[in-house]
Amino acid sequence: MTRPQKQSGRALAEHLNPGVHEALTLRYGHILPGMAETISDVAYGEFYGRPGLDLKTRYVATIAALTAQGGQTRPQLKINIAAGRKAGLSQIEVAEVIWQMALYGGMPAAINALNAALEVFEEEDAK
Amino acid sequence: MTRPQKQSGRALAEHLNPGVHEALTLRYGHILPGMAETISDVAYGEFYGRPGLDLKTRYVATIAALTAQGGQTRPQLKINIAAGRKAGLSQIEVAEVIWQMALYGGMPAAINALNAALEVFEEEDAK
Amino acid sequence: MTRPQKQSGRALAEHLNPGVHEALTLRYGHILPGMAETISDVAYGEFYGRPGLDLKTRYVATIAALTAQGGQTRPQLKINIAAGRKAGLSQIEVAEVIWQMALYGGMPAAINALNAALEVFEEEDAK
Amino acid sequence: MTRPQKQSGRALAEHLNPGVHEALTLRYGHILPGMAETISDVAYGEFYGRPGLDLKTRYVATIAALTAQGGQTRPQLKINIAAGRKAGLSQIEVAEVIWQMALYGGMPAAINALNAALEVFEEEDAK
Amino acid sequence: MTRPQKQSGRALAEHLNPGVHEALTLRYGHILPGMAETISDVAYGEFYGRPGLDLKTRYVATIAALTAQGGQTRPQLKINIAAGRKAGLSQIEVAEVIWQMALYGGMPAAINALNAALEVFEEEDAK
Amino acid sequence: MTRPQKQSGRALAEHLNPGVHEALTLRYGHILPGMAETISDVAYGEFYGRPGLDLKTRYVATIAALTAQGGQTRPQLKINIAAGRKAGLSQIEVAEVIWQMALYGGMPAAINALNAALEVFEEEDAK
């Protein structure tokens, strides 16, 4: 059976993170063939592209989770903050989501993630 | 200086989790005097009661975070799912937020939290 | 484009955890349509079914990870220990993998996971 | 070279958790020979028995860590709270250490661990 | 009702981390108004300023927790090590607390945090 | 009683990470006397040197665990990837173990660890 939603997975990936598929293929394709396809198909096709929750709210969830985990995956947190901004989150909404995580992941984790957000916002302003 | 927003912290706590202040005082007050006040003042007064993000979205963030951390604090996850429902999240929105966390906290953590959500939903239906 | 490997994902899921697809559909299908398909397609089709690493070694990795995370997803740890046994891991190999995690996730996490393993082994012996 | 401090490791284990060595051997010895010896030699001989920090303070550190990790290893948290009490921590000191972890591991993790502490205190009172 | 202990929260913050309130306001105030006040009022007023446990022991708990979480919030770990030193912890006590965490957060987490501590100690010596 | 296996712990440490004992002593010996001995005796003597699981498989477990924990201890992850390579893991096997962790520690954690692995592989190629 064909899985037509996969096409929209790839398209959604490209819309939210332009160039992501090619960048992943170039960086990881030699050692993990098919990894870029899996990310598009899975993250975007099977999860972000699901009905039932709008994209903006999905990024609230993602930013909250990566913050509460301690911001140890800072590059990916920054990519998701940037994508969340594209999906409609204001800078203040991003900051509020992160700051609230002080209650669940601790204050150091929240401050750590706020610093990542400030870097994303500065890059936006620099454009 | 008086801090009038604290009153709304207590009121918000009571609105979202009726009886929580008295329950905390009864259970923990003998060993941690002032703990119930801290929870009301801090969690609700300093965080949930902030402007900048609506309550419903705040619960999306909380449910996402507790899920991604592995659902190891299941009783508190259930309390927050119930409060999120009261703040306007549909059962499907709760489930979608949790399921998306498979991408960030892993599939076992997401399934674990889904089971907690199903328990909350069953308790709702039993009312 | 059809994705023929997905079929083997479903078949692999069924081989390692008989009845898993139907069980997931029954339990979660009403609130998360397509979730069981995603698990088969993703976990088994996109990851466990990949070439480059044999199944037995893949379960070593999974059991190690769930142990080091603190065994907070105990039901899923037990499912993966049982599947790892089916993929060829001896009881002693499972125990050694878990115990080594004392170095990375701490001794309490390792002991916690050992207890889960002992439960799986007792269920095997009871058959 | 003989390592005489190991003897004190075993003795310290026995002092803080009477019967622990035999219990571990009985439960895990068939599948992990030498595990009980490793726990005595390592946890007590190489760490708790070190000079430079008194035992009472060492248990503060341990209780704090297990709390901040989410209390997912609740049985081990309870064992360490009981041992910390034996090393001189008051019930209030234990509760204060745990509650402070709300700042670092989140409020749900702290409340979760407080519940474990209350169970230990109740068992003490029941003696 | 006025909450007089809040004043001591601010004073305690200033004593342990001179300039922290102004630094937080400058860095985060534009996007999270009131955040610096929350940190002073909550972290110092509601937690560190509580009776029942001396400050030095409170920093033992904090350093232990941040170490066991993997040192992923290294800047905040360093701030707390420096504050713990000011509250009376010796360099050796700090190192012993961290190293003991090898048992609970794993050896890599402990070594990671030791490196952060060495940086703090070098900055002390450079003064 | 002498513990002859400790000698093999030291020898195994030296074989897998040449110079590690002296490097640890130089860096940490002044503040944590005996720490290098503990690492050799415990990590290598009590765990890696155990029978029941070959070294190559032990490194699969370690790499999986450090990846799933979010790669927050990146220097130690790189050391273990390098040691795993020496114990017989191919670059592709290392990459497959890490990538599979997307299912358990989340995609950001897996990508984070893949980047660490690529750095190790580049250092190998540069020799």
Side-chain angles (χ1 to χ4, degrees):
Chain A
M1 199 187 87
T2 60
R3 297 178 59 90
Q5 84 272 25
K6 299 298 179 193
Q7 292 307 320
S8 66
R10 193 77 51 92
L12 186 55
E14 208 52 41
H15 170 65
L16 288 162
N17 305 111
V20 66
H21 188 84
E22 196 180 339
L24 289 168
T25 303
L26 271 172
R27 182 154 173 76
Y28 305 105
H30 65 293
I31 196 133
L32 283 173
M35 174 213 181
E37 283 76 10
T38 294
I39 289 185
S40 293
D41 291 358
V42 174
Y44 298 95
E46 301 278 353
F47 288 93
Y48 281 83
R50 285 181 64 91
L53 201 68
D54 62 281
L55 256 185
K56 188 178 152 180
T57 309
R58 289 194 180 278
Y59 278 104
V60 167
T62 299
I63 293 166
L66 294 180
T67 298
Q69 291 178 329
Q72 79 264 52
T73 50
R74 169 183 276 257
Q76 292 81 15
L77 175 59
K78 288 181 66 178
I79 289 169
N80 279 287
I81 290 171
R85 289 279 291 138
K86 197 168 278 186
L89 289 170
S90 71
Q91 288 191 355
I92 285 179
E93 286 171 320
V94 170
E96 288 289 336
V97 167
I98 290 174
W99 181 225
Q100 181 177 316
M101 291 304 101
L103 288 173
Y104 303 105
M107 282 199 174
I111 293 173
N112 221 18
L114 272 178
N115 290 336
L118 289 183
E119 284 176 29
V120 176
F121 300 162
E122 276 158 27
E123 286 159 22
E124 287 176 355
D125 295 342
K127 277 181 194 169
Chain B
M1 198 188 85
T2 59
R3 296 178 58 91
Q5 83 274 24
K6 299 298 179 192
Q7 291 309 319
S8 66
R10 194 78 50 91
L12 186 55
E14 210 51 41
H15 170 65
L16 288 162
N17 304 112
V20 66
H21 188 85
E22 197 180 340
L24 289 167
T25 303
L26 272 171
R27 183 155 172 75
Y28 306 104
H30 66 293
I31 196 132
L32 283 172
M35 175 213 181
E37 284 76 9
T38 294
I39 289 184
S40 293
D41 291 358
V42 174
Y44 298 95
E46 301 278 354
F47 287 93
Y48 281 83
R50 285 180 65 90
L53 200 68
D54 62 280
L55 256 184
K56 189 177 151 179
T57 309
R58 289 195 181 277
Y59 278 104
V60 167
T62 299
I63 293 166
L66 294 180
T67 299
Q69 292 177 329
Q72 80 263 50
T73 51
R74 168 184 277 256
Q76 293 81 16
L77 175 60
K78 288 180 66 177
I79 288 170
N80 279 287
I81 290 171
R85 289 279 292 138
K86 198 168 278 186
L89 289 171
S90 70
Q91 288 192 354
I92 285 179
E93 286 172 320
V94 170
E96 289 288 337
V97 167
I98 290 174
W99 182 225
Q100 181 177 317
M101 290 304 100
L103 288 173
Y104 303 105
M107 283 199 172
I111 293 173
N112 222 18
L114 272 178
N115 290 336
L118 289 183
E119 284 176 29
V120 176
F121 300 161
E122 275 158 29
E123 286 159 22
E124 288 176 356
D125 294 342
K127 279 183 191 167
Chain C
M1 196 188 87
T2 59
R3 296 178 59 90
Q5 84 272 24
K6 298 299 180 190
Q7 291 308 319
S8 66
R10 193 78 50 92
L12 186 54
E14 210 51 41
H15 170 64
L16 289 162
N17 304 112
V20 66
H21 188 84
E22 196 180 340
L24 289 167
T25 302
L26 271 171
R27 184 155 172 74
Y28 305 105
H30 65 293
I31 196 133
L32 282 172
M35 174 212 181
E37 283 76 10
T38 294
I39 289 184
S40 293
D41 291 358
V42 174
Y44 298 95
E46 302 277 354
F47 288 92
Y48 281 83
R50 285 179 65 91
L53 201 68
D54 62 282
L55 256 185
K56 189 177 152 180
T57 308
R58 289 194 179 279
Y59 277 104
V60 167
T62 299
I63 293 166
L66 294 179
T67 299
Q69 292 178 329
Q72 79 264 52
T73 51
R74 169 182 276 256
Q76 292 81 16
L77 175 59
K78 288 180 66 178
I79 289 170
N80 279 287
I81 290 171
R85 289 279 291 138
K86 196 168 281 185
L89 289 170
S90 71
Q91 288 191 356
I92 284 179
E93 285 171 321
V94 170
E96 288 289 337
V97 167
I98 290 174
W99 181 226
Q100 181 177 317
M101 291 303 101
L103 288 174
Y104 303 105
M107 282 198 172
I111 293 173
N112 221 20
L114 272 178
N115 291 335
L118 289 182
E119 284 177 29
V120 175
F121 300 162
E122 276 157 28
E123 286 160 23
E124 287 176 356
D125 294 342
K127 277 183 192 169
Chain D
M1 197 187 87
T2 60
R3 296 177 59 90
Q5 83 272 27
K6 299 297 179 192
Q7 292 307 319
S8 66
R10 195 77 51 92
L12 186 55
E14 210 51 42
H15 169 65
L16 289 162
N17 304 113
V20 65
H21 188 85
E22 197 181 339
L24 289 168
T25 303
L26 271 171
R27 184 155 172 74
Y28 306 104
H30 65 294
I31 196 134
L32 282 173
M35 174 212 180
E37 283 77 9
T38 294
I39 289 185
S40 293
D41 291 358
V42 174
Y44 298 95
E46 301 278 354
F47 288 93
Y48 281 83
R50 284 180 65 90
L53 201 67
D54 62 281
L55 256 184
K56 189 178 152 181
T57 308
R58 289 195 181 278
Y59 277 104
V60 167
T62 299
I63 293 167
L66 294 180
T67 298
Q69 292 177 329
Q72 80 264 51
T73 51
R74 169 183 276 255
Q76 293 82 15
L77 175 59
K78 289 180 66 178
I79 288 169
N80 279 287
I81 290 171
R85 289 279 290 138
K86 197 168 278 185
L89 289 171
S90 71
Q91 288 191 355
I92 284 179
E93 287 172 319
V94 170
E96 288 289 338
V97 167
I98 290 174
W99 181 226
Q100 181 177 317
M101 291 303 102
L103 289 173
Y104 303 105
M107 283 199 172
I111 294 173
N112 221 18
L114 273 178
N115 290 335
L118 289 183
E119 284 176 29
V120 175
F121 301 161
E122 276 158 29
E123 287 159 22
E124 287 176 355
D125 294 342
K127 277 181 191 167
Chain E
M1 198 188 86
T2 60
R3 297 179 58 91
Q5 83 271 26
K6 299 298 180 192
Q7 292 308 319
S8 66
R10 193 78 50 94
L12 186 54
E14 209 52 41
H15 169 66
L16 288 162
N17 304 112
V20 66
H21 188 84
E22 197 180 340
L24 289 168
T25 303
L26 272 172
R27 183 156 172 75
Y28 305 105
H30 65 293
I31 196 135
L32 282 173
M35 175 213 181
E37 283 76 11
T38 294
I39 289 184
S40 293
D41 291 358
V42 174
Y44 298 95
E46 301 278 353
F47 288 92
Y48 281 83
R50 285 180 66 92
L53 201 68
D54 62 281
L55 257 185
K56 187 177 152 181
T57 309
R58 288 195 181 278
Y59 277 104
V60 167
T62 299
I63 293 166
L66 294 180
T67 298
Q69 292 177 329
Q72 79 264 52
T73 52
R74 168 183 276 256
Q76 293 81 16
L77 175 59
K78 289 181 66 178
I79 289 169
N80 279 287
I81 290 171
R85 289 278 293 138
K86 197 168 279 185
L89 289 171
S90 70
Q91 288 191 356
I92 284 178
E93 286 172 321
V94 170
E96 288 289 336
V97 168
I98 290 174
W99 181 226
Q100 182 176 316
M101 290 304 101
L103 288 173
Y104 302 104
M107 282 199 172
I111 293 173
N112 221 18
L114 272 178
N115 290 336
L118 288 183
E119 285 176 28
V120 176
F121 300 162
E122 275 158 30
E123 287 159 23
E124 288 176 355
D125 295 341
K127 277 182 192 168
Chain F
M1 198 187 86
T2 59
R3 296 178 59 89
Q5 83 272 25
K6 298 299 180 193
Q7 291 308 318
S8 66
R10 192 78 50 93
L12 185 54
E14 210 52 41
H15 170 65
L16 288 162
N17 304 112
V20 67
H21 189 84
E22 196 180 340
L24 289 168
T25 302
L26 271 172
R27 183 156 173 74
Y28 305 105
H30 65 293
I31 196 132
L32 282 172
M35 175 213 180
E37 284 76 10
T38 295
I39 289 185
S40 293
D41 290 358
V42 175
Y44 298 95
E46 301 278 353
F47 288 92
Y48 281 84
R50 285 179 66 91
L53 201 67
D54 61 282
L55 256 185
K56 188 177 152 180
T57 308
R58 289 195 180 276
Y59 277 104
V60 167
T62 298
I63 294 166
L66 293 180
T67 298
Q69 291 178 330
Q72 80 263 51
T73 50
R74 168 183 278 256
Q76 293 81 16
L77 175 60
K78 288 180 66 178
I79 289 168
N80 279 286
I81 290 171
R85 289 280 290 139
K86 196 168 279 185
L89 288 171
S90 71
Q91 288 191 355
I92 284 180
E93 286 171 320
V94 170
E96 288 289 336
V97 167
I98 289 174
W99 181 226
Q100 182 176 317
M101 291 304 102
L103 288 173
Y104 303 105
M107 283 199 172
I111 293 173
N112 222 18
L114 272 178
N115 291 335
L118 289 183
E119 284 176 29
V120 176
F121 300 161
E122 276 158 28
E123 286 159 24
E124 288 176 355
D125 295 342
K127 277 181 192 168

